[in-house]
């Protein structure tokens, strides 16, 4: 390889790192319950999309099941360089209400926010509760699945096998309940 080829390669490497440093995450508001549709169509336009989701228990017709729901209903994140990409096309995408702006320019999400969410999610964007927060005794948690979904309980005991013993206030008394760690989420 000649000296000029080496310099050309170095310049290309420097330019690539500059481009990646201009990339940032932006928030997109979607139409009601159209997060997945919006994400699909944004990906088809070559935008990098992150739609964080969580497993949530649902009661319907005397049945309990677990469904994937958006962590932030009505919102998703897009990673882009607004100086190089056609960001105005986002507003015309199926399922999208609007890109969040500051004046006439897209408003970037502060660095570290989306990156922290990405670390707390698995490869398909589902929040891993055990990495999202660390529980301790007496913490308030929200039950995500089963007949007690959406109820608040207190942590009574944690075991090494990933199970949580909870105290649930029910009918004027406390009931002891044992669930997998992934079935609860620490309350804010």
């Amino acid at each position: 390889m000649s000296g000029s080829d080496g310099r050309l390669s170095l310049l290309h490497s420097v330019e690539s790192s500059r481009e990646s440093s201009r990339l940032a995450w932006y928030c997109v508001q979607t139409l009601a319950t159209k997060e997945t549709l919006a994400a699909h169509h944004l990906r088809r336009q070559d935008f990098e999309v992150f739609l964080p989701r969580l497993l949530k228990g649902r009661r319907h017709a005397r049945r309990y099941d677990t469904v994937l729901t958006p962590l932030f209903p009505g919102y998703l994140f897009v990673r882009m360089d607004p100086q190089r990409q056609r960001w105005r096309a986002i507003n015309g995408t199926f399922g999208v209400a609007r890109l969040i702006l500051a004046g006439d320019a897209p408003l970037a999400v502060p660095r570290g926010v989306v990156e922290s969410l990405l670390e707390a999610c698995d490869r398909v964007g589902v929040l891993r509760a055990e990495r999202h927060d660390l529980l301790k005794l007496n913490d308030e948690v929200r039950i995500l699945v089963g007949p007690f979904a959406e109820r608040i309980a207190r942590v009574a005991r944690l075991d090494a096998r990933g199970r949580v013993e909870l105290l649930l206030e029910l009918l004027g008394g406390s009931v002891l309940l044992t669930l997998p760690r992934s079935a609860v989420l620490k309350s804010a």
Side-chain angles (χ1 to χ4, degrees):
M1 174 176 1
S2 72
S4 65
D5 288 342
R7 279 180 281 192
L8 185 59
S9 175
L10 179 62
L11 287 173
H12 179 69
S13 173
V14 168
E15 184 61 30
S16 293
S17 68
R18 275 192 207 136
E19 286 176 22
S20 67
S21 69
R22 286 191 296 233
L23 287 174
W25 288 100
Y26 297 86
C27 188
V28 174
Q29 184 179 16
T30 66
L31 298 173
T33 69
K34 300 296 182 194
E35 299 89 355
T36 304
L37 176 72
H40 171 74
H41 285 285
L42 287 167
R43 284 186 187 104
R44 289 187 65 194
Q45 296 175 60
D46 292 325
F47 287 104
E48 185 179 346
V49 177
F50 176 51
L51 174 58
R53 298 174 295 171
L54 62 95
L55 288 169
K56 187 174 182 181
R58 176 177 68 171
R59 295 180 218 191
H60 180 69
R62 296 186 186 181
R63 287 187 31 215
Y64 302 101
D65 60 352
T66 305
V67 294
L68 272 176
T69 60
L71 182 60
F72 306 109
Y75 294 91
L76 56 80
F77 301 100
V78 172
R79 187 171 182 227
M80 65 174 176
D81 176 358
Q83 294 176 349
R84 295 183 144 257
Q85 289 178 281
R86 296 182 54 227
W87 60 267
R88 292 185 192 277
I90 291 173
N91 287 334
T93 303
F94 287 118
V96 170
R98 66 189 180 103
L99 176 65
I100 305 299
L101 303 175
D104 291 336
L107 178 64
V109 176
R111 288 206 185 273
V113 173
V114 176
E115 291 81 0
S116 297
L117 285 169
L118 281 163
E119 285 180 22
C121 291
D122 64 14
R123 63 180 182 75
V124 292
V126 178
L127 186 68
R128 293 184 304 245
E130 61 273 0
R131 290 210 42 194
H132 177 65
D133 56 273
L134 298 174
L135 291 178
K136 17 184 219 304
L137 293 179
N138 290 322
D139 278 352
E140 277 195 349
V141 296
R142 183 167 44 104
I143 300 171
L144 300 174
V145 297
F148 300 113
E150 300 303 316
R151 303 286 305 256
I152 301 294
R154 286 207 177 274
V155 175
R157 197 177 122 228
L158 301 163
D159 71 15
R161 294 179 302 159
R163 298 188 64 80
V164 182
E165 215 169 83
L166 304 171
L167 282 175
L168 177 65
E169 297 295 322
L170 193 63
L171 300 172
S174 293
V175 177
L176 201 57
L177 180 67
T178 304
L179 293 171
R181 173 62 189 88
S182 59
V184 299
L185 188 63
K186 190 173 183 176
S187 293

